[in-house]
């Protein structure tokens, strides 16, 4: 391991409200780390609004000290930097030990409501879990994660947040030398399905219990009131993931690497890699060039979520009930609830997008036919739903018709939509307001994110900032921003996004 020594004390952060609860777990849960000095840490972006929400903004008013801290060069003395250990199924293949190979948990910030937030540096240098990797991150993927995670948050999709981007002054070598950077990521917790799998595979049932207790205390304290708190934890995680994946689908988001080590127990979207929002709708769409069989395609995400949760349930079996057969029964029962939760949330979210309550079979099959229409006519997912909302307010709005070469197909669909809408109780104005809140004008379209990354590699961060600021109000049309609304032209289409890790 090649960790150049940084220094241990950084004064401006001496009063940051840290808790280091994960570090109080036994040492088999992590590896303690010392800081690694970046050559020339420079603060590119700091998320003031997030820092304010967390009540920590006043500690970060010196950009140079911030850059040293958030590059992992120097830590406050009361931080407890460590890399978390976990295992996981990667594209279905079991890997017994993964762990934070290019990230570290600095500690947990206590926000004004007493909630703990992991402060996590991604790209800050090698750890004992780096395997053959360099522990670094290139600026491009850091910008991608920053823009996407913050956009997800304002769209109402549970996600880890991004606090800062620091350029390190060190080059990282991928296909070409690239500028290195560190992302500061905040999460309710970075514990993954793979964390449970690690201890399950080691047959360490005591550690499984400690981990489950930790998750309950920190994330799901209401489980303590249940007859069987571990079963209650499983139920919570199943429902949270069902909600999350239904949200992904309803915004056209494709995570790209839904391995069990990338599924958070907290229900937050985590580990942004080759993820993307799709432009033209197709249920089999993938962006990851390594996902050759479409395992993590848009439409397969619920199935894979269910599969991952089954791995989580299996890992809990040793602590779920008195006997193994009872525990398996509990696990199966909990996992079986995924489909109902998912369908309920999926129909709720898409119902809001369509301005309909989707309850009857007729309404459900109308939703299916809507997605078939988009697929067949290669329609932009985001533009379709947004323009549909506008049509509800203004019948002369022609944005929807403009998307279709085949006007008759659209007209037939609209007749069916009107017939269903007429049977339901909403007034057009109420319907329009609900729809607008589910159908953004602006999403982090791939070609826009790529342009921001390209500019940043040339030293221009304004493109990234402008995009970020526009994406912070995704449901409101903003003056002079038409170019950010539109779908990419044929030569702008991005067909694959890269982990770049
Ligand atoms: P991911 O699926 O991208 O979240 O990463 C899978 C595993 O590979 C995790 O254990 C990461 O910590 C590790 N990893 C990814 N990139 C690197 C890197 N550049 N250096 C070391 N480990 C890495
Ligand atoms: Mg990961």
């Amino acid at each position: 391991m090649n960790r150049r020594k940084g220094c241990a004390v950084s004064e401006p952060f001496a009063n940051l409200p840290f808790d280091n609860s994960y570090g109080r777990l036994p040492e088999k849960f992590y590896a303690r780390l010392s800081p690694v000095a970046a050559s020339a840490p420079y603060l590119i972006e700091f998320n003031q609004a997030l820092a304010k929400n967390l009540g920590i903004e006043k500690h970060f008013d010196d950009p140079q000290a911030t850059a040293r801290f958030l590059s992992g060069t120097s830590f406050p003395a009361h931080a407890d930097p460590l890399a978390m250990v976990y295992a996981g199924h990667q594209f279905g293949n079991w890997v017994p030990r993964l762990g934070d190979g290019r990230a570290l948990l600095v500690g947990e910030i206590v926000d004004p409501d007493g909630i703990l937030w992991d402060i996590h540096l991604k790209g800050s240098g090698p750890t004992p879990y780096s395997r053959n990797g360099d522990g670094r991150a290139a600026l491009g993927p850091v910008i991608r994660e920053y823009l996407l995670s913050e956009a997800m948050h304002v769209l109402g999709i549970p996600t880890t947040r991004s606090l800062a981007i620091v350029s390190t002054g060190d080059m990282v070598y991928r296909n070409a030398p690239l500028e290195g950077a560190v992302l500061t990521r905040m999460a309710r917790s970075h514990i993954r399905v793979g964390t449970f799998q690690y201890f399950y595979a080691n047959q360490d049932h005591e550690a499984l219990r400690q981990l489950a207790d930790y998750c309950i205390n920190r994330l799901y304290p209401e489980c303590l009131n249940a007859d069987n708190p571990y079963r209650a934890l499983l139920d919570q995680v199943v429902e949270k993931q069902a909600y999350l994946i239904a949200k992904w689908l309803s915004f056209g988001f494709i995570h790209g690497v839904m391995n069990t080590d990338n599924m958070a127990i907290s229900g937050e979207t985590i580990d942004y890699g080759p993820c993307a929002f799709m432009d033209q709708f197709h249920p089999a769409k993938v962006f990851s060039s390594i996902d050759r069989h479409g395992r993590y395609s848009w439409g397969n995400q619920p199935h894979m979520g269910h599969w991952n949760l089954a791995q989580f349930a299996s890992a809990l079996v040793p602590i779920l009930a008195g006997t193994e057969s009872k525990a398996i029964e509990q696990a199966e029962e909990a996992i079986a609830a995924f489909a109902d939760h998912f369908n309920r949330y999926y129909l709720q979210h898409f119902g809001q997008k369509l301005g309909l309550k989707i309850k009857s079979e007729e309404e459900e099959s109308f939703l299916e036919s809507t997605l078939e229409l988009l697929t067949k006519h290669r329609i932009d997912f985001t533009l379709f739903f947004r323009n549909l909302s506008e049509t509800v307010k203004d019948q002369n709005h022609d944005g929807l018709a403009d998307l279709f070469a085949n006007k008759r197909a659209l007209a037939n669909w609209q007749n069916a939509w009107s017939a269903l809408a007429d049977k339901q109780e909403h007034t057009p104005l109420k319907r329009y307001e609900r729809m607008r809140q589910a159908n953004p004008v602006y999403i982090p379209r791939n070609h826009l994110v790529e342009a921001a990354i390209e500019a940043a590699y040339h030293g221009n961060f304004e493109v990234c900032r402008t995009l970020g600021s526009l994406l912070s109000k995704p449901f409101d049309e903003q003056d002079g921003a038409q170019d950010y609304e539109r779908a990419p032209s044929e030569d702008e289409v991005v067909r694959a996004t890269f982990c770049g890790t």
Side-chain angles (χ1 to χ4, degrees), residues 352-365:
Q352 194 181 345
K353 291 179 86 65
L354 282 169
L356 299 172
K357 284 222 161 77
I358 304 182
K359 293 234 153 60
S360 65
E361 263 177 42
E362 186 194 11
E363 288 149 357
E364 274 190 49
S365 76

Side-chain angles (χ1 to χ4, degrees), residues 91 254-258 274 284-298 300 304:
F91 287 90
I254 300 164
H255 180 282
V257 209
M258 282 179 74
K285 193 157 275 183
V286 290
F287 287 96
S288 164
S289 46
I290 54 173
D291 190 358
R292 286 192 201 91
H293 305 292
R295 182 180 171 92
Y296 300 137
S297 63
W298 177 85
N300 215 31
M304 293 322 306

